[in-house]
Amino acid sequence: MNVGHNRWQLWLLTASPLIIMSVLYLIFSAGIVRGIDIAVVDLDQSQSSRLLRRYLNASPILTVTDFSDASVAQTEVRKGRFSALITLPYQLHRKLANGRQPQIDIRYNGQYLLLGKQANSAIQQALADGLRKLSAKSSLLKGFNRQQVAFMMSPVRQQITPLNNHNSNYLAFLLPAIMIALWQLVSVM
């Protein structure tokens, strides 16, 4: 049977792979997850909680929406409009000032592995940076000098550089394998 006479086979060999590869490239071309929607409920409304919200807003991976009512935020997360919910507790500032450890409630959707991992990692990093700044400020107010505070915050400086897959970009790993698999599926049709 001549391929030129059967339009279906001609389409499978020429146009179909190009269209499928183009669609997959468009899906994976961003490579890095950005703009994960998270909900933040600030029950404290203090200077410390506002600083933590600013650090969350500064993360390029997160898109923060503030809620004043925890039940409304939980409903929105259950509907799937947000990937995570962070509740900054009442008396956060007071507990931090008194040297006690407040509990910040973080709930994220782990159903989507990559999205959940990225959201959790970005939230943890943003909150750690904000809490480190608050702790340093508190230590300076207690009379420690800047060098002592810097050492207390990070006694050993680390530099972590990934050798492969900088910025968790999965395009180079997933796209070739998916294209080959889809091409095989389409050619079987």
Side-chain angles (χ1 to χ4, degrees), residues 111-171:
Q111 187 174 3
Y112 304 109
L113 295 177
L114 178 62
L115 189 65
K117 177 183 165 274
Q118 292 287 331
N120 185 36
S121 176
I123 290 167
Q124 293 293 334
Q125 184 175 0
L127 290 177
D129 290 345
L131 290 169
R132 191 175 302 116
K133 181 168 183 159
L134 288 171
S135 180
K137 186 177 173 184
S138 174
S139 296
L140 286 171
L141 291 173
K142 290 178 182 175
F144 292 102
N145 66 35
R146 289 192 185 276
Q147 289 176 333
Q148 290 172 323
V149 170
F151 182 75
M152 287 188 307
M153 294 299 115
S154 180
V156 177
R157 293 204 173 217
Q158 301 174 6
Q159 179 178 345
I160 301 172
T161 306
L163 298 176
N164 298 312
N165 198 12
H166 297 287
N167 298 323
S168 299
N169 186 339
Y170 295 98
L171 178 66

Side-chain angles (χ1 to χ4, degrees), residues 40-181:
V40 176
V41 179
D42 185 358
L43 301 176
D44 194 38
Q45 297 294 326
S46 67
Q47 180 182 0
S48 298
S49 64
R50 284 190 294 277
L51 178 76
L52 292 177
R53 284 192 348 245
R54 278 196 304 272
Y55 270 88
L56 288 167
N57 275 318
S59 173
I61 295 174
L62 304 173
T63 302
V64 178
T65 303
D66 293 318
F67 285 89
S68 57
D69 186 7
S71 61
V72 172
Q74 288 175 351
T75 302
E76 294 296 314
V77 170
R78 284 192 187 108
K79 288 180 181 177
R81 294 191 179 126
F82 297 97
S83 298
L85 170 63
I86 301 170
T87 305
L88 301 174
Y90 180 67
Q91 294 187 344
L92 173 74
H93 182 72
R94 179 178 288 168
K95 287 180 181 178
L96 288 172
N98 292 334
R100 291 185 298 168
Q101 201 171 28
Q103 182 174 348
I104 297 174
D105 187 37
I106 303 170
R107 297 169 191 237
Y108 68 94
N109 185 358
Q111 187 174 3
Y112 304 109
L113 295 177
L114 178 62
L115 189 65
K117 177 183 165 274
Q118 292 287 331
N120 185 36
S121 176
I123 290 167
Q124 293 293 334
Q125 184 175 0
L127 290 177
D129 290 345
L131 290 169
R132 191 175 302 116
K133 181 168 183 159
L134 288 171
S135 180
K137 186 177 173 184
S138 174
S139 296
L140 286 171
L141 291 173
K142 290 178 182 175
F144 292 102
N145 66 35
R146 289 192 185 276
Q147 289 176 333
Q148 290 172 323
V149 170
F151 182 75
M152 287 188 307
M153 294 299 115
S154 180
V156 177
R157 293 204 173 217
Q158 301 174 6
Q159 179 178 345
I160 301 172
T161 306
L163 298 176
N164 298 312
N165 198 12
H166 297 287
N167 298 323
S168 299
N169 186 339
Y170 295 98
L171 178 66
F173 299 103
L174 293 177
L175 197 58
I178 291 174
M179 281 188 192
I180 291 169

